Amino acid sequence: LEMESEAGAAGALHGALLSGSLASTFTASQGLLLMIPNMYKIAGEMLPAVIHVASRSLATHALSIFGDHQDIYAVRQTGFCILASSSVFDAQNLAAVAHLSAIKGSLPFVHFFDGFRTSHELNTIEELPEDKILSLVDHDAINKFKDRCLNVGKKYQYGMAQNEDIYFQCMEARNKYYDAMPDIVNDYMEKINEIMATDYKPFNYYGASDAENIIIAMGSVTDTIKEVVDKLGNVGLIEVHLYRPFSKEYFLNVLPESVKNIAVLDRTKEAGSTGEPLYLDVCSILKGKDINIYGGRYGLSSKNTTPSMIKAVYDNLKEEKKNNFTIGIEDDVTNLSLKVDNNFHLDNENYEIIIYGYGSDGMVSTSKDLLRIIGDNTKKYVQGYFQYDSKKSGGVTRSHLRISESPIKSTYYIDNPDFIVVSKDTYIYKYDIIDNLKQNGILLLNTSLSKEDFTKTLPNKVKRLLKDKNIKVY
């Protein structure tokens, strides 16, 4: 049945679970908010639902269809456990962890990954074998769940009204299930680690064992941070996977004793609060320790977050120590943005392509085909990310394609391509298309102009760049 909204979808999910079916749904943004009343019920009744979320912005002063963590943070009070994936590969593996843990621990999960940046990314990954997942399922837990379903023959009641004599006690009676969940999640992570040769933990540490300055974050930005950590060497990252329940024990297990300064990056804004949600959780866990903790915001509405911006966060921990900062924008009103060193670049061995298209001209689909052909028929790794605006057809599309001999973890736009394709010749006159094209790069242009007319009308700035960069034009 197609429900009229996500509120109805959540009601159907709740009903399916009450009748003893394992049920799951998929949503994002305002859709997740419409599920909140049912989510409280599902969590209160300890039903093993899993909601997979491509995490996205909420409509505030304006609507945005793009990605951040506002929707996830808006449901942290419902009682759902929350598991975060950082990449396409994680989304496959941790989706399984969410389902397995929900069944065994008898609590519902939100499993989320970044909207667009992860949900719309193409990447070469190793597949998790279905038979291996099925071997991990706790069938006794499934039988117990089915045994308490609503059925004429069962002696169960759901949805009663309670007064002050017992409501509070029933709320507290669920504590032990939440206390047990981090160990259940960790156990299933270890089982997935054995199958996939990964190293998942509720919190993963990456970087120098004696780092004094670290970042704490969750979602796709952590892969960018790892690249910067590799370059800088003396810093670190705590990557959050299990956000709820937030386990003090597992967090302190991975926190290096050497740490003096922490920047907590949140992909949301809670206006009027003393800090964003992840920042406040970290402050609560580290209360009384001699560690400086600074909060910052990044990436709202899919704003690009580059390695140079991450370096600015580490620089801030060493020098200015600004709290409640922002990266990715120029804040000349409240002056909260950090200074960024735009000369900071990472070295990589990727072959990088940007394809400019016109919304609905097929260039995004062509880019995906190109990657699938290379990914399926060669030993190379591929990654594709497709940037388009909310105007859909008629807007400018940019396809960012990376091809490499090793796995690709860069979760930001290509800024120095080897090859640029332009499907609509007017873009050359309108936009700074080739400013960042590599020395000796290639430009492929689709035009109906003759060679003479094209050469005559090309802007002087473009001609100069073609000459200085020794660019081959086709």
Side-chain angles (χ1 to χ4, degrees):
L1 290 175
E2 185 177 345
M3 311 307 291
E4 69 175 16
S5 76
E6 288 87 350
L13 174 77
H14 185 201
L17 291 156
L18 281 175
S19 69
S21 297
L22 288 175
S24 181
T25 190
F26 307 79
T27 189
S29 192
Q30 314 295 139
L32 185 60
L33 299 198
L34 287 169
M35 295 185 173
I36 287 174
N38 278 288
M39 290 175 76
Y40 275 103
K41 293 290 294 176
I42 291 166
E45 290 162 1
M46 297 174 58
L47 301 169
V50 179
I51 301 178
H52 298 278
V53 178
S55 185
R56 282 171 40 204
S57 306
L58 302 177
T60 54
H61 64 288
L63 175 142
S64 169
I65 67 165
F66 293 105
D68 58 42
H69 296 164
Q70 289 180 65
D71 51 4
I72 293 304
Y73 286 133
V75 299
R76 66 190 192 279
Q77 73 282 10
T78 59
F80 265 63
C81 304
I82 301 177
L83 196 63
S85 283
S86 306
S87 65
V88 176
F89 188 48
D90 288 359
Q92 168 191 247
N93 299 330
L94 296 184
V97 171
H99 282 277
L100 293 164
S101 303
I103 291 166
K104 189 176 183 71
S106 197
L107 288 174
F109 268 77
V110 162
H111 164 243
F112 82 93
F113 39 87
D114 285 356
F116 291 93
R117 183 61 257 183
T118 303
S119 67
H120 285 52
E121 181 183 313
L122 283 185
N123 207 315
T124 310
I125 63 166
E126 186 188 341
E127 203 169 350
L128 179 57
E130 191 172 304
D131 58 329
K132 294 281 178 69
I133 307 172
L134 292 174
S135 70
L136 302 179
V137 174
D138 186 334
H139 290 282
D140 290 340
I142 291 180
N143 290 335
K144 273 187 195 167
F145 159 62
K146 288 188 176 294
D147 212 39
R148 62 185 179 98
C149 69
L150 276 182
N151 186 296
V152 177
K154 305 281 184 189
K155 296 176 182 176
Y156 274 104
Q157 280 183 304
Y158 285 97
M160 301 83 69
Q162 292 178 348
N163 293 344
E164 78 280 7
D165 54 346
I166 59 165
Y167 182 87
F168 191 172
Q169 289 93 316
C170 290
M171 290 287 273
E172 294 295 326
R174 295 198 299 277
N175 289 350
K176 63 180 184 180
Y177 294 92
Y178 288 93
D179 292 343
M181 188 54 82
D183 287 338
I184 292 171
V185 169
N186 186 61
D187 183 51
Y188 276 120
M189 284 177 162
E190 286 177 352
K191 289 183 164 85
I192 294 293
N193 290 340
E194 283 174 31
I195 297 167
M196 301 302 290
T198 46
D199 183 34
Y200 295 118
K201 298 184 182 81
F203 300 90
N204 278 91
Y205 180 74
Y206 187 89
S209 57
D210 59 350
E212 293 186 2
N213 300 305
I214 69 166
I215 291 174
I216 298 173
M218 59 182 174
S220 61
V221 76
T222 56
D223 276 350
T224 301
I225 297 169
K226 286 173 189 174
E227 290 189 341
V228 176
V229 168
D230 289 342
K231 175 101 172 175
L232 297 180
N234 60 344
V235 294
L237 159 75
I238 291 180
E239 178 182 17
V240 180
H241 286 305
L242 184 64
Y243 176 59
R244 286 287 183 273
F246 200 93
S247 167
K248 182 175 183 177
E249 179 194 348
Y250 281 101
F251 179 86
L252 294 178
N253 278 351
V254 300
L255 180 72
E257 289 181 13
S258 54
V259 170
K260 292 182 180 171
N261 303 299
I262 294 175
V264 184
L265 294 183
D266 274 276
R267 199 165 193 170
T268 191
K269 180 172 178 64
E270 285 198 3
S273 71
T274 55
E276 313 311 329
L278 184 57
Y279 165 78
L280 294 178
D281 286 326
V282 172
C283 287
S284 164
I285 294 285
L286 296 177
K287 195 165 49 182
K289 290 194 180 290
D290 187 22
I291 298 175
N292 301 311
I293 306 168
Y294 306 94
R297 289 180 297 286
Y298 75 97
L300 267 65
S301 188
S302 286
K303 195 76 172 185
N304 194 29
T305 305
T306 63
S308 57
M309 293 169 196
I310 298 301
K311 181 180 181 286
V313 175
Y314 284 119
D315 290 344
N316 182 60
L317 291 179
K318 292 177 194 164
E319 296 152 18
E320 198 176 353
K321 299 188 182 334
K322 185 184 277 192
N323 190 28
N324 197 28
F325 61 82
T326 60
I327 53 171
I329 63 168
E330 194 66 49
D331 179 3
D332 55 1
V333 180
T334 47
N335 301 308
L336 295 175
S337 51
L338 300 182
K339 291 186 185 71
V340 175
D341 174 10
N342 289 317
N343 294 318
F344 179 79
H345 292 290
L346 300 177
D347 307 318
N348 66 61
E349 301 300 316
N350 304 337
Y351 188 77
E352 300 187 333
I353 306 169
I354 298 181
I355 299 181
Y356 286 84
Y358 176 79
S360 79
D361 71 353
M363 290 312 287
V364 169
S365 298
T366 301
S367 302
K368 290 179 179 179
D369 290 342
L370 186 64
L371 290 176
R372 286 196 182 101
I373 291 165
I374 296 168
D376 289 343
N377 297 290
T378 74
K379 290 187 175 177
K380 292 188 186 297
Y381 291 85
V382 296
Q383 182 207 56
Y385 182 67
F386 311 96
Q387 191 187 354
Y388 26 79
D389 64 23
S390 46
K391 289 192 282 292
K392 309 286 168 78
S393 65
V396 181
T397 66
R398 295 173 188 84
S399 299
H400 298 258
L401 281 53
R402 291 181 170 103
I403 302 162
S404 179
E405 300 293 335
S406 51
I408 303 166
K409 291 184 172 287
S410 307
T411 52
Y412 46 90
Y413 302 153
I414 292 170
D415 63 357
N416 195 20
D418 299 88
F419 183 19
I420 287 179
V421 181
V422 183
S423 76
K424 192 174 168 69
D425 55 8
T426 54
Y427 291 172
I428 279 285
Y429 303 92
K430 268 193 197 172
Y431 306 116
D432 295 327
I433 296 277
I434 61 167
D435 284 29
N436 59 353
L437 184 53
K438 265 189 190 149
Q439 194 73 22
N440 304 316
I442 297 172
L443 171 66
L444 172 60
L445 185 75
N446 177 43
T447 180
S448 57
L449 295 173
S450 67
K451 190 174 178 180
E452 289 72 28
D453 288 344
F454 175 64
T455 310
K456 205 183 294 176
T457 58
L458 206 57
N460 285 337
K461 180 193 170 186
V462 176
K463 289 180 186 170
R464 177 81 201 199
L465 282 168
L466 293 173
K467 179 177 178 292
D468 290 350
K469 293 189 172 200
N470 190 34
I471 290 165
K472 289 194 183 80
V473 182
Y474 293 91

